[in-house]
Amino acid sequence: MKKIKLSLFVKVLIAIACGSLLGLVAPEFLVRLLKTFNVLFAQLLKFIVPLLVLGLVTPAIANVGKGAGKMLLFVVGAAYVSTVCAGLFSYLCTSTAFPHYLTPGELSTEAVAAKTFAPYIDMKIPPLCDMLTALVLSFMFGIGMIYIKAPGLKKAFDEFGEIIKLVIEKVIIPLLPWYIFSMICEMSAKGVIDVVLGSGVKIIFTGVILSILFLVVQYIIAGVIARKNPFKCLWNMLPAYLTGFSICSSAAVIPVTSQCSQKNGVSEDIINFTIPLCSNVHMCGSTIKLAATAIAVAYITGTPIPFAVYLNFVLMQAVATVASPGVMGGVLMASVGLLESIMGFSPEQTALLMTIYLALDGYGPACNVTGDGAIALIMEKLFGKKK
């Protein structure tokens, strides 16, 4: 019989269920052993994330710069503004909504300090550079390769990026369910798992609602600019949304998104340019999902995020996720370093965020690809007659 392959979503659900049950009966030595794995994996993750930015964002910037023109700048600019606005929209809505059904500080240090489990080994793996340094280097090398046309350096970064993708796909992603399993097991042993699961459902439901509302806003703006019925255009994009929700990939939905955009009257030339480009630079849905989860985790752990700090985070995160669709879980991986360096997340907060973020992965990519259709509508109005 062929080997049965489970999706990451199913593996995460299994990890949550098994970790919750095992934590109720596991002896202390086993919980400490799992804690050791958790700590070591967190260090590995912290080490690899700046390299991910260097290996993926640098060649992405160099590729976007090829044949740069007015339309290219408009598409990339619109995608960036949309991604940043999605993050701000999520912050404003969740900051208003969460106090009504989440309890501040219910997972604070004081709430879980009654019982702690120390790892057997606490080894540090210092990253080669921090996230901000990696982003600056990516821009420096990426833009530099555009101007001096350095094929050797470009090839080196492309190959470096392939190595990073291989590490993410073959090591980090397969171990993520075990990372979540170890964290959930520890929380269950501490007696706070009911809070985690109860809050997680509310956070996920909030993220889904916000992503749909943001799409409505996007298509109203696109409809006004393109002089088309926004709700009819949004309805035409439903197959792309459902496909993105089911396969959890922006890049893999490009053919469906293109067909839906044709129904909205976008020309083939505009579609062939805009949709593939947006699948790599337009991360509005994933940003809403990440932002809602991060704000909720900060809220329930008693560390609220000031707006100025969050604004810094979302401006940098929109850049860091440029090439993330090329890697499964790429948006999350590219944002981990920023969560810790800018918003001050602890490894425990990051692990909790990952658990909730991955528990329902599909609505982020679904919003991404549907939003690509809105940008295509605007580009058709601005450049359709000049193709």
Side-chain angles (χ1 to χ4, degrees):
M1 294 178 63
K2 292 183 178 180
K3 185 179 179 180
I4 299 175
K5 293 184 178 181
L6 301 178
S7 66
L8 181 61
F9 169 67
V10 175
K11 291 178 182 178
V12 169
L13 291 183
I14 293 173
I16 293 173
C18 294
S20 302
L21 296 175
L22 181 62
L24 299 175
V25 298
E28 183 174 347
F29 82 89
L30 180 57
V31 180
R32 290 185 62 189
L33 187 63
L34 292 174
K35 177 71 173 180
T36 302
F37 167 79
N38 187 288
V39 170
L40 294 177
F41 183 85
Q43 288 294 314
L44 176 62
L45 197 61
K46 194 172 182 179
F47 174 81
I48 200 70
V49 167
L51 300 181
L52 182 145
V53 172
L54 277 172
L56 298 186
V57 175
T58 303
I61 293 174
N63 288 334
V64 167
K66 289 182 178 180
K70 191 175 181 181
M71 183 175 170
L72 175 71
L73 296 177
F74 267 78
V75 173
V76 174
Y80 180 79
V81 169
S82 175
T83 302
V84 171
C85 288
L88 298 177
F89 175 78
S90 184
Y91 180 89
L92 295 174
C93 293
T94 53
S95 298
T96 303
F98 283 156
H100 294 288
Y101 48 84
L102 294 180
T103 304
E106 59 184 340
L107 283 179
S108 63
T109 303
E110 294 78 11
V112 298
K115 194 173 185 180
T116 59
F117 299 93
Y120 289 111
I121 301 174
D122 190 4
M123 183 175 63
K124 302 296 183 183
I125 309 176
L128 296 179
C129 62
D130 58 32
M131 275 294 296
L132 295 181
T133 302
L135 281 171
V136 171
L137 287 173
S138 296
F139 268 92
M140 184 179 73
F141 283 113
I143 295 174
M145 285 187 286
I146 293 173
Y147 279 93
I148 69 173
K149 299 179 181 179
L153 186 60
K154 173 66 168 57
K155 182 180 179 181
F157 269 104
D158 286 338
E159 292 175 347
F160 176 63
E162 291 301 316
I163 294 173
I164 296 300
K165 286 182 182 180
L166 186 66
V167 174
I168 295 293
E169 294 170 356
K170 301 299 183 182
V171 179
I172 302 297
I173 294 299
L175 289 178
L176 267 180
W178 292 101
Y179 180 52
I180 292 170
F181 168 75
S182 63
M183 187 208 66
I184 291 294
C185 182
E186 182 187 4
M187 288 188 171
S188 180
K190 288 181 177 181
V192 296
I193 191 63
D194 56 332
V195 175
V196 174
L197 297 181
S199 299
V201 172
K202 298 173 186 176
I203 296 166
I204 292 170
F205 181 76
T206 302
V208 173
I209 296 300
L210 290 182
S211 66
I212 294 174
L213 290 176
F214 188 74
L215 284 176
V216 172
V217 173
Q218 274 187 321
Y219 274 84
I220 288 176
I221 295 173
V224 170
I225 295 174
R227 296 182 181 179
K228 293 189 177 184
N229 186 331
F231 299 102
K232 183 179 179 181
C233 291
L234 184 56
W235 176 259
N236 288 337
M237 296 299 298
L238 183 60
Y241 183 91
L242 296 177
T243 306
F245 196 98
S246 60
I247 65 177
C248 305
S249 170
S250 297
V253 192
I254 288 176
V256 183
T257 310
S258 299
Q259 291 177 356
C260 294
S261 295
Q262 284 182 330
K263 293 181 181 179
N264 286 334
V266 182
S267 62
E268 185 176 352
D269 288 343
I270 299 296
I271 288 173
N272 290 341
F273 182 89
T274 304
I275 299 301
L277 180 58
C278 282
S279 72
N280 283 278
V281 300
H282 188 214
M283 298 289 108
C284 59
S286 297
T287 298
I288 289 175
K289 180 181 177 183
L290 180 75
T293 309
I295 294 165
V297 168
Y299 188 76
I300 64 178
T301 53
T303 54
I305 304 170
F307 178 73
V309 174
Y310 178 80
L311 180 61
N312 185 19
F313 165 76
V314 78
L315 290 174
M316 301 302 294
Q317 188 263 349
V319 176
T321 57
V322 164
S324 57
V327 181
M328 187 177 183
V331 172
L332 179 61
M333 296 297 101
S335 304
V336 166
L338 294 175
L339 288 168
E340 296 181 353
S341 63
I342 296 179
M343 296 209 289
F345 268 39
S346 66
E348 291 76 16
Q349 287 175 307
T350 301
L352 178 58
L353 179 141
M354 286 182 169
T355 302
I356 299 172
Y357 184 97
L358 293 171
L360 184 62
D361 193 32
Y363 74 88
C367 181
N368 293 341
V369 299
T370 308
D372 294 347
I375 293 180
L377 278 172
I378 296 174
M379 293 305 114
E380 175 66 27
K381 177 64 177 179
L382 297 177
F383 298 96
K385 296 180 180 179
K386 305 174 184 179
K387 60 185 178 180

